[in-house]
Amino acid sequence: MKKIILLAVAFLLAFTGAAQAASKDAKPVRIAYVEWDCARATSNLVKAAIEDRLHRKVELLPVSAGAMWMAVASGDVDATVTAWLPVTHGDYLKRLEGKVRDLGPLVDGARLGWAVPDYVTVNSIAELDAAADRFGGRIIGIDPGAGLMRMSEDAIKAYGLKKMQLVEGSGATMTAALADAIRRKEWIVVTAWSPHWMFGRWQLKYLDDPKGALGGMESIHTVVRKGLDKDMPEVFAFLDRFAYADTAQLQTLMAWNNEEGADPLTNARRFMKEHPALVDSWLAK
């Protein structure tokens, strides 16, 4: 009897080792994301969970919004966990209908807009032209391919802004300009979105948008390529269940990543350690 038990244990260990080796040798999961702080945080969290719990290698690919959607549609990547819907990326989803699969929101309560420090006395987009000199005639933007930038161009037209120019950049250059202006107590208006760590660091306010040019409340969705459920069923099942409990969790993770010397993957594993029940819910059978 003892010999039978030992043989069974040896077989189980060999089988488990072979299964893990097969998983490690399997085709890596490729995830594309736009280089926004929220996208980087979530993509690294997905990477950590898949690698640590499903034992599959994950490749993260930072790209523009358009390239991200096309890569999922073509099957060049397996998924993205940074699709802002229904407005910001709505045109991409409509254009690629039938070529991608929307798994629904991973967090609700997201929004886009233009933000200013709370000491700025302007409260509405409609008031910007009259105070253009105080803002240096600039709206500090992010990467040119972002949906927020397209919508910002629409907002300039909707409000007839003649003295304000949208300046292209990146998420990093936008927050750097914001930090510098706040340190000097200067007026600045930036393209903004939440959840974002900058709302936890500084006292900011969204400008009123009575025309609704920059949209309303949004959700961040997981979108995958067609066929993922067939050839990577365990990855598909995980992505289908993956979600934050609330926006505060994502905002906390983003804040950790903004600390000096922070590593997003290390912080993702810290998040998993602090929220074991949530992680287990992503992997439940």
Side-chain angles (χ1 to χ4, degrees), residues 199-218:
F199 286 94
R201 171 169 291 190
W202 300 299
Q203 295 298 312
L204 305 173
K205 62 182 180 182
Y206 279 108
L207 293 176
D208 292 339
D209 177 16
K211 295 181 182 291
L214 294 169
M217 299 302 291
E218 296 205 74

Side-chain angles (χ1 to χ4, degrees), residues 217-230:
M217 299 302 291
E218 296 205 74
S219 299
I220 305 175
H221 288 223
T222 298
V223 174
V224 303
R225 64 173 171 82
K226 300 287 283 187
L228 184 68
D229 56 330
K230 301 294 192 301

Side-chain angles (χ1 to χ4, degrees), residues 90-212:
D91 286 347
Y92 293 116
L93 183 60
K94 184 177 181 180
R95 194 183 314 155
L96 299 172
E97 185 176 2
K99 297 182 179 180
V100 298
R101 187 166 175 180
D102 178 11
L103 299 186
L106 59 93
V107 69
D108 293 314
R111 70 168 292 184
L112 302 176
W114 293 351
V116 297
D118 65 347
Y119 55 77
V120 172
T121 57
V122 167
N123 293 306
S124 172
I125 294 175
E127 302 171 21
L128 286 177
D129 251 13
D133 289 344
R134 296 293 303 271
F135 292 107
R138 300 191 306 162
I139 302 158
I140 306 302
I142 54 174
D143 47 293
L148 176 54
M149 292 293 280
R150 174 182 50 79
M151 294 169 70
S152 292
E153 293 282 7
D154 292 341
I156 289 174
K157 295 175 183 176
Y159 286 94
L161 301 181
K162 306 296 184 183
K163 300 178 181 178
M164 298 293 292
Q165 178 183 3
L166 183 63
V167 179
E168 296 177 353
S170 67
T173 59
M174 179 271 289
T175 53
L178 182 60
D180 187 58
I182 290 175
R183 188 176 66 253
R184 299 169 182 268
K185 289 291 182 182
E186 295 175 346
W187 283 28
I188 186 172
V189 56
V190 300
T191 57
W193 63 95
S194 49
H196 194 291
W197 58 263
M198 65 184 175
F199 286 94
R201 171 169 291 190
W202 300 299
Q203 295 298 312
L204 305 173
K205 62 182 180 182
Y206 279 108
L207 293 176
D208 292 339
D209 177 16
K211 295 181 182 291

Side-chain angles (χ1 to χ4, degrees), residues 247-268:
T247 55
Q249 289 185 338
L250 174 53
Q251 196 119 323
T252 296
L253 183 54
M254 293 166 67
W256 292 348
N257 289 342
N258 193 53
E259 295 170 358
E260 186 175 354
D263 175 61
L265 191 58
T266 299
N267 285 331

